[in-house]
Amino acid sequence: MIAVRDLNAAAANFSALGFTLTPRGHHSIGSENHCIMLGSTYIELLVAPVAHAWLDYYRAFGEGLAAIALSSPDADATYEALKAKGAKPPMDLSRPVDGGVARFRLVQVKNSPQVFFVQHLTRELVWRPEWQAHANGALELVHASLRPAKPFDGLPASVEWQAGPMLRIEGLRREVEAHGVRLTPV
């Protein structure tokens, strides 16, 4: 998730870099986004124009790679598995999309807003071929590097903690930087 202050400017910048963006989304908690849909992953450009407990971290963050969402096939099971580490009960969210309402469930871990878990309930509404074709050749997000301060042990090896936020993208033809995030080819 890339936090941005101006979603229109971010959308224009990432489009100019050759990414296809989904139409602007309006979440049920007041945040807004554009997504860059890849093979089975995605990059979310998010602005949080309204106050909400879940969005406070992102509102204060500024711009850049603010968080990584790890896929969960079952938000309830993820919550149960991580409850001892401070997981909060799943939160249901939605946003209208062409053809219906995209629904998903999030699980956050207390004091770890930079990592959360998401269960997509309507994947067919957002992983569409027309949104997965990118002029810059991007196919799949395969690696993410976040700022230091690893929240808890047990994260996948594909999530690295280092000084600079970076995303490695399979198929990307050249390295670019936008909104405080370095995007590099694999």
Side-chain angles (χ1 to χ4, degrees):
M1 175 185 296
I2 299 174
V4 299
R5 290 188 180 106
D6 181 338
L7 189 56
N8 291 332
N13 289 340
F14 279 88
S15 290
L17 293 173
F19 289 103
T20 301
L21 276 67
T22 62
R24 187 181 197 116
H26 300 270
H27 294 120
S28 52
I29 59 172
S31 52
E32 298 175 17
N33 74 349
H34 283 287
C35 291
I36 298 167
M37 305 309 296
L38 300 163
S40 64
T41 60
Y42 64 101
I43 300 167
E44 181 175 17
L45 308 177
L46 181 95
V47 67
V50 299
H52 184 280
W54 194 81
L55 297 172
D56 289 347
Y57 167 78
Y58 306 104
R59 289 172 53 82
F61 186 87
E63 290 208 331
L65 185 58
I68 181 104
L70 301 174
S71 180
S72 168
D74 183 337
D76 292 317
T78 298
Y79 166 66
E80 288 299 325
L82 294 173
K83 194 170 12 177
K85 295 184 185 274
K88 299 175 185 177
M91 177 174 58
D92 295 317
L93 283 96
S94 63
R95 67 180 175 92
V97 295
D98 294 339
V101 175
R103 296 181 308 110
F104 45 99
R105 304 183 78 209
L106 303 180
V107 176
Q108 273 189 302
V109 179
K110 186 178 179 184
N111 298 322
S112 299
Q114 66 273 43
V115 176
F116 62 95
F117 299 82
V118 61
Q119 176 186 7
H120 286 276
L121 302 172
T122 53
R123 293 180 68 83
E124 70 282 357
L125 293 176
V126 290
W127 268 273
R128 297 181 181 181
E130 65 268 28
W131 294 338
Q132 293 174 292
H134 304 281
N136 61 17
L139 299 172
E140 189 72 84
L141 176 62
V142 296
H143 185 95
S145 295
L146 297 171
R147 293 180 178 157
K150 188 173 181 178
F152 54 88
D153 291 328
L155 293 174
S158 59
V159 179
E160 180 182 332
W161 300 86
Q162 65 175 28
M166 184 217 5
L167 297 174
R168 287 193 189 131
I169 302 172
E170 181 182 331
L172 191 65
R173 293 190 183 105
R174 65 184 177 91
E175 184 171 307
V176 295
E177 188 165 328
H179 296 269
V181 180
R182 189 165 40 110
L183 304 145
T184 65
V186 175

